[in-house]
Amino acid sequence: MIDLIEKLEKTHSLTVEEYERLIESRSPETARILAEKAVKVRKEIYGNSVYIRGLVEVGNICRNDCLYCGIRRSNKKCERYRLNAEQILDCCREGYSLGFRTFVFQGGEDSYFSDDYICELIKTVKSECPGSAVTLSLGERSAESYKKLFEAGADRYLLRHETANKSHYEKLHPPEMSFVNRMECLNNLKKIGFQTGCGFMVGSPFQTVKNLAEDLKFIEEFKPQMCGIGPFIPHRDTPFASYEAGSAELTCYLLSVIRLISPSVLLPSTTALGTVLPNGRELGILSGANVVMPNLSPNEVRSKYELYNNKLSSGAEAAANKRELEERMNNIGYRIVSDRGDYKNI
């Protein structure tokens, strides 16, 4: 496997079959080698800096019915909420005072959050929190909508592709959702000029090693500025409630591979990793990640944005506990920085 790892390190490219071999040959030794190389590459570009994003979960009302998601439309047990503009702005004001310079607005696909509503929000944040970046993660919208959001000042957009295989996509989503449309949305975001993020779940139902290899090839070819991956974790009120969670170890292995595919990519160590393992956040950083996203949402709604069972929202996951997160990063040789943390195009 050393030859494949060295090829990837040098060319940032493998065939789908080679990615399959790399995944199938995972062992503690290959994981160690990949992580060492990933960390070396990441440090050459970003040093020991870990970028923080203040996550604001604006609402859990969603028109979609994705089979894996706890806030899916059909989940009648989900206690719904929607933050108003002033609540969202208060989250940003608090975050700004804590040193956050990127705010991520994430929520279900909810028509309440119209283009005009979000555009006004973006402009106010940019005015009240100078020098900040705004990232949106509000799902599939039209190209015209994305263009308006970009022109209003949004910097980045996160839209996980979930899987690069159409057949697999259709096993995870209801018939009204389209793999082709998801890919078109991602391409539109890139064309408009957003720093664009994609990503997938590790260990999702029906996922094969080839599917994972196809995801890696998609990332290689799409060249996102951001990529979010985390282990699949089931939610008790979804059709996938009885499925096994994905592996944190495999997730970290793939983080290292993605860093070698795309040395400059902004790569989060996700909440899902921290949910599966107590030190999951740290393991992600030690595997090549360089972003963490503490939660700025109001305390009273955090438990309602439950995409999967036992989703973390307190402790080091809470933005107000930034000091604890700083200490945890310092303990493994990294430092949290108050910075927009933009993609470095080298």
Side-chain angles (χ1 to χ4, degrees), residues 224-242:
Q225 285 81 30
M226 302 168 286
C227 184
I229 73 167
F232 163 75
I233 305 173
H235 188 283
R236 60 192 167 278
D237 299 318
T238 68
F240 294 153
S242 63

Side-chain angles (χ1 to χ4, degrees), residues 1-2 31 43 69 73 79 108 127 130 184 186 232 263 276 282 286 292 321 333:
M1 277 306 103
I2 300 301
K43 285 187 175 179
C69 184
R73 184 183 70 235
E79 188 180 347
S127 170
E184 185 179 349
L186 281 165
F232 163 75
V276 170
E282 291 91 329
L286 292 169
V292 291
N321 289 344

